[in-house]
Amino acid sequence: MLTANKLMPQGRGLAPVLLKRAATIELDWDVRQKSRFDATDSQGRQIGVFLPRGTAVRGGDVLVAEDGSLVRVIAAPQPVLRITHCTAHGTPFDLTRAAYHLGNRHVPIELKPDHLKIEPDHVLADMLRSMHLIVVAVEEAFEPEGGAYGSHEHSHGAGHDHSHGSSKGPRPLVLAPELLDDHDHSHDHGHSH
């Protein structure tokens, strides 16, 4: 059995030709959320995956085996509930409400601009339908959010940072003078009371 104990998120830094030639492994979310598992790749090799505890493997990630070979992970289609808002009786904001209620129940949830996905659960499906949402059972890849405190990595591409010091992007928050306490006028930007 070949061992893989290194993960390259989304294959960043690898040449496209290497990614194209890499063996693949198709895994559902139940397996990808584990840091230790065995699987068989597209070349028929048995791979033992041993990643740091708490590491979740995402579709598009690349595992590096002990022999240096690459294995690209594919998020396998699996049974999920696809949740959309009812265009006749609701608004897209209903999805925000649904995400709030599901989050309060600590349900793994995939957030998309026009729909949500959760693992099958008839009790939650009934709750969502009572909120006038459309819930459909489908077979699709499932990539739930990593959580506010998880080791969620993301990239915005070259040249982008979060300092927002330039004229592009959101501006820093500036409080109105009436919201500042009476003793701190250092941020009133020339406004008089």
Side-chain angles (χ1 to χ4, degrees), residues 131-174:
M131 296 168 65
H132 304 291
L133 290 154
I134 299 166
V135 180
V136 180
V138 295
E139 291 263 335
E140 294 180 357
F142 184 53
E143 292 283 3
E145 286 293 302
Y149 303 104
S151 58
H152 176 75
E153 287 193 36
H154 67 279
S155 171
H156 293 286
H160 181 88
D161 67 23
H162 288 189
S163 65
H164 300 292
S166 71
S167 61
K168 296 178 184 175
R171 294 238 194 267
L173 176 65
V174 177

Side-chain angles (χ1 to χ4, degrees), residues 2-93:
L2 200 56
T3 300
N5 57 17
K6 183 176 180 187
L7 180 80
M8 299 181 77
Q10 302 303 297
R12 279 196 297 273
L14 293 173
V17 67
L18 291 177
L19 290 174
K20 192 173 183 179
R21 285 188 198 151
T24 58
I25 199 162
E26 198 166 330
L27 306 168
D28 67 15
W29 176 243
D30 285 342
V31 175
R32 288 183 291 114
Q33 67 181 323
K34 297 174 183 166
S35 51
R36 287 163 170 58
F37 56 87
D38 294 335
T40 305
D41 74 8
S42 60
Q43 297 175 358
R45 300 180 303 175
Q46 281 294 111
I47 310 272
V49 178
F50 300 94
L51 298 171
R53 295 243 179 246
T55 302
V57 180
R58 300 288 180 171
D61 287 352
V62 175
L63 297 166
V64 182
E66 62 194 341
D67 67 355
S69 62
L70 304 174
V71 182
R72 188 170 40 88
V73 176
I74 297 169
Q78 66 182 77
V80 292
L81 297 178
R82 192 175 214 274
I83 305 147
T84 55
H85 80 280
C86 175
T87 56
H89 301 102
T91 70
F93 181 72

Side-chain angles (χ1 to χ4, degrees), residues 175-181:
L175 292 175
E178 58 272 13
L179 297 178
L180 297 171
D181 80 45

